[in-house]
Amino acid sequence: MGFDTPGGPEVFRAEKLDLPQPGPDQLLIEVSHAGVNRPDVIQRQGFYPPPPGASPIPGLEVSGKVVAIGPGVAPEMLNRRVCALVSGGGYAEYCLAHAAHCLSVPPHMDMAEAAAIPETLFTVWHNVFERGFAVDGETLLVHGGTSGIGTMAIQLAKAFELDVVTTAGSEEKCNAARELGADLAINYKTEDFVEKVNEFTGGKGANVILDMVSGDYVQRNLDCLAVDGRHVTIAVLGGLKSEINMAKLMSKRQVMTGSTLRPRSDEFKALLADEIYTHAWPLFEDRTIAPVMDKTFPLTEVSAAHARMEAGDHIGKIVLEVRSAQ
């Protein structure tokens, strides 16, 4: 499912392309399911073009069966059930992936669930634990607690013994965040999250903030970020620019950073996948953590899936079913 010109969800249309052939270190996945993510929406709107060499077809994560391998890929990868982080091409029956960016799907895991994991897991692991240096006993504030990123961040942080504060836009969503393990869920429409975070932490503030809002949230975040705290930006849904008080930042020795995952090198993603496989994937294998599933749409109804994401009513991950369970 692709589109000719950027626009609303209705611009998607079906197309037939030649079967992609795996190159060195690549494999071909017969796609079972594909995750829907906010970057897909932004790409469809015309504001997030694929990086050089990536497929123009949207879709950053898939699950499925390996049906062909390129040079340098271990033969035992053939016929393996995997989920993969990809740079594009997920909204299709077949998708290329780098072998080092794949995770083996355990027998008990549903393939729809498997497709809902890679993009959020890679993003949260890198930004909370590698860029944010979160450690047990600290407090994490994550905005958008019932988004795909938010639900993943809550569960991972709790698994590694952090206290978690999150924001959401309704009591229903706040309750969902609490059920996932959030120690405090704040309805940002009726409560001041700065005041609530500082109250929860006894005035110390959160040690790490995972922010996907940006805009005028940034100074408010810094106002409830601890001394030596780390502010990590992963999206700018609330605006590209922020005005902050640098004197306050200096006095509290706060660190501001951020990242985008899609354009990073294959080598970087391979290293990230290896760390995740060692430290985080066992939590999915024993079901300590499982993705929160919102709704699954057939691939041909991708327009409806994007409309649901843009409406903001979803809790957890939206997934596309490409073919029946494998």
Side-chain angles (χ1 to χ4, degrees), residues 22-27 69-75 77 99-100:
D25 303 318
Q26 290 184 322
L27 45 77
I69 59 174
V73 179
M77 290 297 292

Side-chain angles (χ1 to χ4, degrees), residues 39-110:
D40 304 345
V41 172
I42 301 172
Q43 177 178 337
R44 190 209 72 228
Q45 294 170 335
F47 302 117
Y48 192 34
S55 170
I57 301 169
L60 301 178
E61 58 186 348
V62 297
S63 66
K65 184 173 69 174
V66 178
V67 293
I69 59 174
V73 179
E76 56 265 28
M77 290 297 292
L78 266 176
N79 298 313
R80 183 173 294 183
R81 293 190 343 147
V82 299
C83 59
L85 181 75
V86 296
S87 296
Y91 293 6
E93 293 178 315
Y94 294 88
C95 182
L96 290 176
H98 281 266
H101 304 168
C102 296
L103 298 166
S104 294
V105 176
H108 63 75
M109 186 180 288
D110 179 81

Side-chain angles (χ1 to χ4, degrees), residues 88-301:
Y91 293 6
E93 293 178 315
Y94 294 88
C95 182
L96 290 176
H98 281 266
H101 304 168
C102 296
L103 298 166
S104 294
V105 176
H108 63 75
M109 186 180 288
D110 179 81
M111 293 301 272
E113 285 192 352
I117 295 173
E119 200 272 344
T120 53
L121 175 56
F122 278 62
T123 298
V124 170
W125 185 266
H126 175 56
N127 287 286
V128 172
F129 296 100
E130 293 185 342
R131 302 196 73 81
F133 299 104
V135 296
D136 59 291
E138 291 192 320
T139 298
L140 168 72
L141 168 61
V142 54
H143 291 294
T146 55
S147 66
I149 291 288
T151 53
M152 180 65 71
I154 291 170
Q155 293 186 86
L156 269 177
K158 293 307 298 180
F160 287 91
E161 300 184 351
L162 278 80
D163 291 327
V164 179
V165 180
T166 191
T167 61
S170 70
E171 282 309 308
E172 178 191 8
K173 290 187 174 184
C174 285
N175 287 332
R178 294 183 191 106
E179 289 175 4
L180 280 175
D183 298 281
L184 176 66
I186 304 162
N187 185 336
Y188 66 83
K189 293 182 178 179
T190 61
E191 300 176 296
D192 179 357
F193 75 80
V194 176
E195 177 183 322
K196 291 296 181 179
V197 170
N198 284 327
E199 180 182 300
F200 176 79
T201 59
K204 295 180 180 179
N207 304 101
V208 180
I209 296 178
L210 185 64
D211 180 41
M212 58 193 80
V213 183
S214 198
D216 62 8
Y217 259 48
V218 177
Q219 184 58 58
R220 297 173 67 194
N221 286 336
L222 296 178
D223 288 342
C224 60
L225 184 64
V227 172
D228 291 316
R230 289 82 70 195
H231 182 286
V232 188
T233 300
I234 59 169
V236 290
L237 300 177
L240 297 174
K241 297 182 179 180
S242 305
E243 184 174 311
I244 64 172
N245 185 323
M246 293 301 296
K248 285 186 177 181
L249 181 143
M250 292 162 57
S251 66
K252 295 173 75 173
R253 302 186 300 277
Q254 294 167 333
V255 174
M256 297 186 69
T257 185
S259 73
T260 55
L261 184 58
R262 190 180 191 184
R264 297 298 295 268
S265 70
D266 292 335
E267 293 76 15
F268 170 82
K269 292 175 186 176
L271 290 171
L272 182 56
D274 188 59
E275 184 169 326
I276 286 169
Y277 184 76
T278 300
H279 298 289
W281 197 239
L283 298 170
F284 292 86
E285 292 178 321
D286 68 12
R287 297 198 70 80
T288 298
I289 298 176
V292 177
M293 305 299 286
D294 178 76
K295 190 172 182 179
T296 299
F297 294 83
L299 178 62
T300 53
E301 295 180 18

